[in-house]
Amino acid sequence: MRRAALRLCTLSKGLLAPSRGLTQEPQNPENVFHIREACSPIHVNHVRDKLREIVGASTNWRDHVKAMEERKLLHSFLAKSQKGLPPRTMKDSYIEVFLPLGSQPELREKYLTVQNTVRFGRILEDLDSLGVLICYMHNKIHSAKMSPLSIVTALVDKIDMCKKNLSPEQDIKFSGHVSWVGKTSMEVKMHMFQLHGNDFSPVLDATFVMVARDSENKGPAFVNPLILESPEEEELFQQGELNKGRRVAFSSTSLLKMAPTAEERTAIHEMFLNTLDPKTISFRSRVLPANAVWMENSKLKSLDICHPQERNIFNRIFGGFLMRKAYELGWATACNFGGSRPFIVAVDDIMFQKPVEVGSLLFLSSQVCFTQGNYIQVRVHSEVASLQDKEHMTTNVFHFTFMSEKEVPLVFPKTYGESMLYLDGQRHFKSMSAPVTLKRHYMVEP
């Protein structure tokens, strides 16, 4: 294990520039900046342990109330303004995490699919934990035993896949760092690699947005500012600014706020006309064109009880668990719709709107909202209800882009609401890079 750790250090001594889509691969790590030689990758099983240590969380559910009471005493360590916090570099938050599927076979079963590939839902859980740990490294207070900050995932901005085989029998490495900082929020860049021969090849790039809150997770808290030490780091930071602007622009033109564009309205009307029955002169007589499916017939639903086992370090339900359950339902939806095994291409714009309490009922609803060629755009809506209160509240909306091994049917909306879902799915699909050809050795599944 030590020899493997040293090999990882020599293979990744820097950070990767951002990329987008299956057709691109990350740039050479040496092109950005150099990490200290004495890096030591963390075993994936120790990430959650480190997080519990940082916030003083108990491993026993019965002690969680006492642990959270102790965190109230950390308020005095919170900064009154960002100016009172020491600046940090991107190197300060850089972390490598090792998932030794090859050298420790006993780990495989948790990550294994029946097709002998790696469960992408498990990877989402690991990315979520790593993103939080990276932010704690950026905001580390050496004078305090525990961190006064409660850092939580606010948004999965994007996850882009590369055309690489993901085998359950080869070691995996994650790396990441803080790439942009606001007053109370941070953008985190993460990368995943898998060992092929003697080299680690890129598998995915991920961008998460994290927010800092006070020790009781009740209000915002300031984070350490970021010092930029090279033109490459300035470019990464500027990309973070652009990402923020893009999210604001995307939100301002949301179909929940604004009418569709003229081009979108025309497209929806043409789809409507294509479904009118030519035998009758009626707007109510609708028929499906050839090789098409009504959107309402592409749905799948699930229900989970949120047990204490799935809690995070702040005794709410772990965001990675929510992403895994949503992804697996989305994958099943794409599989059922396309009639063959789908492959994940991109994850886009997952907003964590509300925390999910332990004991909640988690309702997930998934449907295909847009298709093109071999591509399937799936939207998963998440809502919760407590055992005492039957009122449902939306917590997340997930967007997944899958690719099927064969061309899939077109999906047609019937109602105005479904038409808006179609356009929203089309917008998310277009935010992905140019379509690519599926490689059979590219296998990432639930």
Side-chain angles (χ1 to χ4, degrees), residues 253 392 439:
T253 58
H392 289 209
K439 297 292 181 69

Side-chain angles (χ1 to χ4, degrees), residues 120 123-132 134-135 152-160 177-180 185-191 204-211 240 243 246-247 318-320 323 347-348 350 352:
F120 185 65
I123 299 302
L124 290 174
E125 291 183 325
D126 292 338
L127 287 172
D128 193 45
S129 294
L130 175 58
V132 175
I134 287 170
C135 289
V152 296
T153 306
L155 172 73
V156 178
D157 187 48
K158 57 186 177 182
I159 300 176
D160 294 319
H177 63 99
V178 170
S179 57
W180 174 90
S185 60
M186 296 156 284
E187 181 186 88
V188 176
K189 295 284 188 187
M190 291 176 284
H191 313 279
L204 65 78
D205 295 323
T207 303
F208 282 42
V209 177
M210 308 291 186
V211 294
N243 289 341
R246 171 180 51 80
R247 289 191 294 266
F318 175 42
M323 286 194 284
V347 181
D348 190 37
I350 299 176
F352 289 83

Side-chain angles (χ1 to χ4, degrees), residues 121-149:
R122 292 296 189 191
I123 299 302
L124 290 174
E125 291 183 325
D126 292 338
L127 287 172
D128 193 45
S129 294
L130 175 58
V132 175
L133 182 58
I134 287 170
C135 289
Y136 273 116
M137 293 299 99
H138 175 82
N139 295 279
K140 189 174 182 179
I141 299 177
H142 297 284
S143 60
K145 182 180 178 181
M146 296 187 297
S147 174
L149 298 179

Side-chain angles (χ1 to χ4, degrees), residues 289-326:
N291 192 33
V293 176
W294 290 120
M295 185 182 290
E296 65 182 6
N297 295 330
S298 69
K299 295 181 179 179
L300 287 180
K301 296 186 177 183
S302 70
L303 168 64
D304 283 279
I305 302 172
C306 298
H307 294 290
Q309 182 185 11
E310 308 300 343
R311 72 189 186 279
N312 63 16
I313 52 178
F314 304 114
N315 296 301
R316 301 283 185 43
I317 294 301
F318 175 42
F321 168 78
L322 301 176
M323 286 194 284
R324 174 168 66 85
K325 301 301 292 188

Side-chain angles (χ1 to χ4, degrees), residues 18-135:
S19 63
R20 184 70 167 140
L22 281 165
T23 56
Q24 299 177 349
E25 293 185 0
Q27 298 177 10
N28 190 323
E30 302 290 340
N31 294 339
V32 182
F33 64 74
H34 295 283
I35 297 299
R36 56 191 177 273
E37 294 288 338
C39 64
S40 180
I42 304 168
H43 193 287
V44 69
N45 286 348
H46 298 157
V47 172
R48 297 286 291 274
D49 294 336
K50 282 186 170 292
L51 288 173
R52 278 190 285 266
E53 181 182 338
I54 288 170
V55 302
S58 173
T59 55
N60 296 317
W61 170 247
R62 63 178 179 271
D63 298 331
H64 74 280
V65 175
K66 178 183 177 182
M68 296 309 292
E69 284 293 322
E70 291 176 352
R71 284 192 56 79
K72 292 181 180 180
L73 304 176
L74 299 174
H75 267 281
S76 60
F77 288 97
L78 292 170
K80 304 299 181 183
S81 70
Q82 194 176 39
K83 293 180 180 179
L85 293 169
R88 297 287 160 76
T89 67
M90 291 189 187
K91 297 185 186 72
D92 291 331
S93 62
Y94 181 82
I95 296 176
E96 289 183 358
V97 171
F98 194 44
L99 173 55
L101 295 179
S103 50
Q104 294 184 15
E106 64 272 15
L107 292 175
R108 290 179 194 164
E109 187 162 327
K110 177 181 176 181
Y111 290 85
L112 188 66
T113 73
V114 69
Q115 290 85 17
N116 199 41
T117 58
V118 173
R119 295 176 62 182
F120 185 65
R122 292 296 189 191
I123 299 302
L124 290 174
E125 291 183 325
D126 292 338
L127 287 172
D128 193 45
S129 294
L130 175 58
V132 175
L133 182 58
I134 287 170
C135 289

Side-chain angles (χ1 to χ4, degrees), residues 260-303:
T261 64
E263 181 182 359
E264 290 173 332
R265 292 196 297 270
T266 299
I268 289 298
H269 189 66
E270 288 178 354
M271 293 183 74
F272 172 72
L273 294 178
N274 287 336
T275 63
L276 292 180
D277 189 347
K279 298 178 183 179
T280 64
I281 307 176
S282 172
F283 289 129
R284 294 185 179 181
S285 297
R286 308 284 295 278
V287 292
L288 269 175
N291 192 33
V293 176
W294 290 120
M295 185 182 290
E296 65 182 6
N297 295 330
S298 69
K299 295 181 179 179
L300 287 180
K301 296 186 177 183
S302 70
L303 168 64

